[in-house]
Amino acid sequence: MAGDERNPALAGVAGAAGTTERAGAVSAARPASAAPPGGVPAGHNPWPALWAMVIGFFMILVDSTIVSVATPAILRGLRTDVNSVIWVTSAYLLAYATPLLITGRLGDRYGPKNLYLVGLTVFTAASLWCGLTGTITGLIIARVVQGLGASMLTPQTMAVITRTFPAASRGQAMALWGATAGVAILVGPVVGGLLVDGPGWEWIFFINVPVGVVAFVLAARLVPRLETHSHRFDWLGVALSAVGMFLLVFGVQEGETYDWGTISGFVSVPLLIAAGVLVLGIFVWWQAHNTSEPLLPLQLFGDRNFSLANIAITTIGFSITAMAFPFMLYAQAVRGLSPTSAALLLAPMAVISGGLAPVAGRMSDRVHPRGITAVGIGLTSASLLWLALVMHPATATWLLLLPMALMGVGNAFMWGPLGATATRNLPLSSAGAGSGVYNTTRQVGAVLGSAAIAAVIQARLSADLPGIPGDLGGLQSSGASMPAKVAEGFASAMSESMLLPAAVLVIGVVAVLFFERPASHPH
């Protein structure tokens, strides 16, 4: 018998999700290896639907990596500074992360297929807007709308996996989810580099339009309509989480700009950060005391693996987002590589990650998740540390490719196995809520990673290149030759910045070491 409905804390979530006692009893009586009771017809093959939804998921991942490669081009094209152009990513991630809790619930209420299609439409239309804008402010606003579309789309992918794949074979489905991330890491930068070198940075957004149309048609035809559950929505919780996240991220990212002091009048950077932490604390308190239906069902955290997986995925979201900025600036500004050539430095990571992901998926259905996830996250942390040690102006290219290859191994044994472990014990009636929470914590980590790395980059540039202005005097021009002294200082700043994501991943390693064996695993 599956172990998820035996947990009293998780049983409360099923009630909160609006399921009846009879439905809960049926779910509890169903073996873990049986087909999930999500309104899916008997004998239904869930793989075509998953492949269709993965296209949309792939598109939003590609979009994130494309922007990191295009950062120098956007900086020059819109005549802005490093901190402003990093807000192009931070604004997207913030708009992506904040609504995820409620969009997961909306998927339960109106069906994951419907929410996926709406999110895909919003994301595709906003991509067109991003490409047409001519100012940094307009681009940031368009990215906010794009993030809202992504927030509607993402939780539905995991929810469909949870509700249509038997628990005992869910690891293979999550392996596809993880392989998608690995392939996107390569395709995004390479395609982005070709587009930036060719028609211009605007086309990194225009390319989403035809992909979005194809993804919509396939999902409309192949994704099944699953049974829905009624929900009440915690609008106070939505407001508290949004305000808290904005204050925290704005304070962290803008801290260096204002020398960690006063912004205006009595408003200071430390005050904003403290206010953000306080509001988020009030949000958690409200979720614990909301007698109706909280936005964040704290009962989910009664499952140890779910709680620990959320800690780990937060560190992963933080680190993968944070490492892209200093590495791409180093490759293009210090080494003088074009965006395409810089992106190809990521090729070993993406190829190895995509190739090993199916192996990791099969292993995650058979072995204890503690070892496989600890190895994956640990190797990724080690690869970032290795990169930090070799990021010098005269480093041979092959010395950069070796840590990238190690990162590919780490990624393969990190994304899929961790996602499968997080959702394996959850009751099916809480698939949307659990997926929303998991993706929220991943995106919260990404938001904080984007904000923190911006602050660290600025701090290290100030220390290693004193007197260089915020726009770096145009030093980001790829293909340009830096004076040796400037190149050495710039490379040092970027390599020192890489130590932050490497250190944060250590927290993820410690978290997954305390995983329990899921009930659906063979012993």
Side-chain angles (χ1 to χ4, degrees):
M1 181 177 292
D4 41 311
E5 288 81 17
R6 292 178 182 270
N7 189 322
L10 292 178
V13 182
T19 57
T20 64
E21 292 183 4
R22 179 177 177 275
V26 171
S27 177
R30 186 179 297 265
S33 58
V40 182
H44 172 78
N45 181 3
W47 284 101
L50 178 58
W51 276 104
M53 297 186 80
V54 155
I55 294 175
F57 182 53
F58 176 80
M59 183 173 66
I60 64 175
L61 291 173
V62 164
D63 197 71
S64 298
T65 54
I66 275 182
V67 172
S68 68
V69 173
T71 294
I74 295 173
L75 190 149
R76 297 190 305 273
L78 297 182
R79 301 172 189 247
T80 184
D81 56 29
V82 172
N83 200 49
S84 295
V85 80
I86 287 180
W87 262 108
V88 172
T89 294
S90 290
Y92 169 79
L93 293 174
L94 186 59
Y96 188 168
T98 301
L100 277 171
L101 293 173
I102 195 168
T103 55
R105 290 297 188 86
L106 286 170
D108 283 340
R109 175 63 182 86
Y110 297 105
K113 177 176 181 175
N114 293 332
L115 259 291
Y116 177 89
L117 293 176
V118 171
L120 190 59
T121 301
V122 172
F123 184 91
T124 303
S127 296
L128 180 62
W129 181 7
C130 287
L132 293 174
T133 189
T135 65
I136 188 66
T137 301
L139 180 57
I140 290 172
I141 293 172
R143 288 282 281 168
V144 168
V145 178
Q146 201 180 35
L148 293 174
S151 74
M152 287 186 271
L153 182 157
T154 302
Q156 317 316 324
T157 307
M158 285 187 70
V160 168
I161 292 174
T162 304
R163 295 176 63 180
T164 60
F165 283 85
S169 62
R170 206 169 290 155
Q172 297 179 53
M174 284 295 179
L176 174 59
W177 188 79
T180 301
V183 174
I185 290 171
L186 172 61
V187 172
V190 172
V191 172
L194 291 171
L195 292 173
V196 171
D197 288 339
W201 65 263
E202 297 88 349
W203 283 86
I204 67 174
F205 300 110
F206 289 148
I207 197 173
N208 289 337
V209 177
V211 176
V213 171
V214 171
F216 185 96
V217 172
L218 290 175
R221 291 177 59 87
L222 298 176
V223 177
R225 295 191 180 276
L226 304 176
E227 64 185 21
T228 60
H229 307 274
S230 61
H231 287 291
R232 296 178 182 176
F233 293 105
D234 179 12
W235 297 112
L236 177 58
V238 172
L240 288 171
S241 63
V243 171
M245 280 298 301
F246 176 80
L247 292 174
L248 181 61
V249 171
F250 186 86
V252 171
Q253 182 156 321
E254 296 295 311
E256 187 67 24
T257 302
Y258 296 98
D259 199 25
W260 301 97
T262 300
I263 296 177
S264 176
F266 67 91
V267 179
S268 66
V269 170
L271 181 62
L272 282 180
I273 295 174
V277 172
L278 177 61
V279 173
L280 290 175
I282 295 172
F283 166 72
V284 173
W285 177 88
W286 168 242
Q287 299 308 288
H289 291 81
N290 184 355
T291 57
S292 179
E293 188 171 352
L295 178 64
L296 175 63
L298 298 179
Q299 298 95 328
L300 286 172
F301 293 95
D303 178 71
R304 179 196 289 188
N305 285 2
F306 182 79
S307 299
L308 294 173
N310 275 274
I311 294 173
I313 198 63
T314 301
T315 67
I316 292 170
F318 183 106
S319 300
I320 296 301
T321 300
M323 64 80 61
F325 291 107
F327 186 74
M328 283 298 155
L329 287 171
Y330 159 78
Q332 296 182 50
V334 176
R335 301 183 68 87
L337 298 177
S338 68
T340 303
S341 298
L344 288 173
L345 293 176
L346 303 175
M349 171 179 60
V351 171
I352 293 174
S353 176
L356 288 179
V359 177
R362 289 191 293 270
M363 289 179 63
S364 68
D365 285 330
R366 294 175 173 84
V367 304
H368 199 299
R370 180 190 303 144
I372 190 172
T373 51
V375 167
I377 300 172
L379 289 179
T380 304
S381 177
S383 68
L384 293 176
L385 177 60
W386 190 354
L387 269 178
L389 295 175
V390 298
M391 284 171 58
H392 305 296
T395 299
T397 300
W398 68 270
L399 287 175
L400 297 171
L401 298 179
L402 290 177
M404 279 297 171
L406 181 65
M407 192 182 301
V409 178
N411 271 252
F413 290 92
M414 180 172 71
W415 289 100
L418 187 64
T421 303
T423 59
R424 201 180 293 270
N425 285 344
L426 296 185
L428 295 171
S429 58
S430 298
S435 175
V437 171
Y438 184 79
N439 282 284
T440 296
T441 56
R442 177 173 64 88
Q443 287 305 123
V444 166
V447 170
L448 295 178
S450 176
I453 203 67
V456 171
I457 287 174
Q458 288 197 18
R460 297 321 305 159
L461 284 173
S462 298
D464 295 328
L465 287 173
I468 297 295
D471 63 2
L472 304 179
L475 294 177
Q476 289 88 355
S477 299
S478 59
S481 177
M482 277 186 175
K485 186 176 180 180
V486 175
E488 189 65 42
F490 194 97
S492 295
M494 296 304 106
S495 65
E496 290 159 3
S497 299
M498 294 286 282
L499 296 175
L500 174 65
V504 169
L505 281 175
V506 175
I507 301 172
V509 174
V510 173
V512 300
L513 287 176
F514 291 91
F515 273 154
E516 295 178 321
R517 184 185 293 274
S520 62
H521 262 219
H523 291 271

